[in-house]
Amino acid sequence: SSLPFSLPLYYALAGTASPQPTHFPVMAPRTRLLPACLAASVVVGAVHLLGRGSQEGAFVTPSLRGEAAAALAAAVVAGSLGAPGPASAAATKFSVFGFGDGASDVYASIDADQKNPYSQFSNPKDRLYKEDAAEYIQKKKVALDESFKRLEKAPYFIKTKQSENLKSLLTLQLEMMRQNMEYVTAKGAPGYRNNDESTPAFQKANAFFQDISDLNVYGKSKKWPEASDSYSKAMTKLAEWKTLVAY
């Protein structure tokens, strides 16, 4: 019948030697030995702490908390001492409205040779963008050719007394046509050019737009003879402007 205890215990109680096994168990691989030792150490430490806790009270005592805090602080200090120190940074410097050596503010992105402290564009002498480059002037002239071509429809609208179509034509073309003509006149965009409107080319362009404005007003008022006269004056000034700017 089955015994209520194991065979080794039976042989020990009987005073007889236990029979030796005919084979030996295979030893665990060496790679498993270290994790097993670590796990055993963790278990032993946990049992030790639980034993102290059960003796001193149901909760962790202030002494244990103090020891844990001290150990944590010591670990942090040791880590900080072992880590490399931060690289020394330059002292913080700020400028006042763009003036001064402000290495720490937004004005530091401005080129050192830029005369305008509020402009983030390069100095004119070495910047890539050249406002008077032939390619930009040519693009404006292409756009102007399209505007002048559409403007040739104005006599038909005046003759047929189409007030709304004339207004639509002038409204759609007037603003862009002015910008492009001023670009060609001053050889550049606003901020990059000389906006001296006393030059002959600028004065002729302004006179042209005054006649176009009068044409729009006469068209809305349906004063067709005056509208036709304003259109003729505008075309004359446009031809003179083309001569002045070598269009």
Side-chain angles (χ1 to χ4, degrees):
S1 60
S2 61
L3 297 175
F5 41 79
S6 62
L7 288 176
L9 181 59
Y10 168 79
Y11 288 117
L13 294 175
T16 60
S18 174
Q20 298 296 326
T22 57
H23 63 279
F24 297 94
V26 180
M27 296 183 63
R30 186 172 298 180
T31 56
R32 299 180 182 178
L33 183 60
L34 181 59
C37 294
L38 292 176
S41 301
V42 171
V43 172
V44 172
V47 171
H48 177 67
L49 291 177
L50 290 175
R52 293 184 60 182
S54 62
Q55 294 175 3
E56 299 177 5
F59 298 98
V60 180
T61 62
S63 177
L64 290 177
R65 290 198 297 267
E67 292 176 2
L72 178 61
V76 173
V77 171
S80 63
L81 291 177
S88 59
T92 304
K93 296 181 181 180
F94 292 96
S95 62
V96 179
F97 297 108
F99 296 95
D101 185 15
S104 305
D105 56 18
V106 295
Y107 296 105
S109 60
I110 300 177
D111 292 347
D113 58 350
Q114 174 57 255
K115 298 180 181 179
N116 186 354
Y118 305 102
S119 176
Q120 294 185 349
F121 295 100
S122 302
N123 194 290
K125 66 180 181 180
D126 55 2
R127 67 168 182 252
L128 298 177
Y129 171 70
K130 302 297 182 181
E131 64 275 7
D132 56 349
E135 56 179 323
Y136 301 119
I137 300 296
Q138 184 59 31
K139 288 181 179 179
K140 300 303 179 180
K141 288 184 177 181
V142 170
L144 281 174
D145 290 339
E146 180 63 24
S147 297
F148 298 154
K149 182 179 180 180
R150 295 188 181 186
L151 196 59
E152 294 176 356
K153 299 178 181 180
Y156 173 76
F157 293 145
I158 294 173
K159 182 178 180 180
T160 55
K161 300 180 180 181
Q162 299 184 35
S163 177
E164 290 299 322
N165 287 334
L166 179 61
K167 181 182 69 173
S168 177
L169 170 67
L170 299 177
T171 303
L172 293 175
Q173 292 297 320
L174 190 59
E175 183 61 28
M176 289 304 302
M177 187 166 55
R178 175 184 285 275
Q179 293 179 12
N180 292 332
M181 287 184 66
E182 289 181 351
Y183 194 105
V184 175
T185 301
K187 301 296 188 294
Y192 292 93
R193 68 191 186 197
N194 181 14
N195 283 319
D196 183 10
E197 298 189 9
S198 63
T199 61
F202 237 122
Q203 289 182 347
K204 192 63 65 175
N206 290 335
F208 164 77
F209 283 109
Q210 182 60 52
D211 290 334
I212 294 296
S213 179
D214 293 341
L215 170 60
N216 193 16
V217 172
Y218 289 136
K220 292 179 181 179
S221 303
K222 298 183 179 181
K223 297 181 179 180
W224 304 116
E226 291 83 353
S228 180
D229 183 60
S230 296
Y231 176 80
S232 299
K233 292 179 179 179
M235 293 300 101
T236 300
K237 292 181 176 65
L238 178 60
E240 295 173 353
W241 172 83
K242 288 182 178 181
T243 301
L244 291 172
V245 298
Y247 194 88

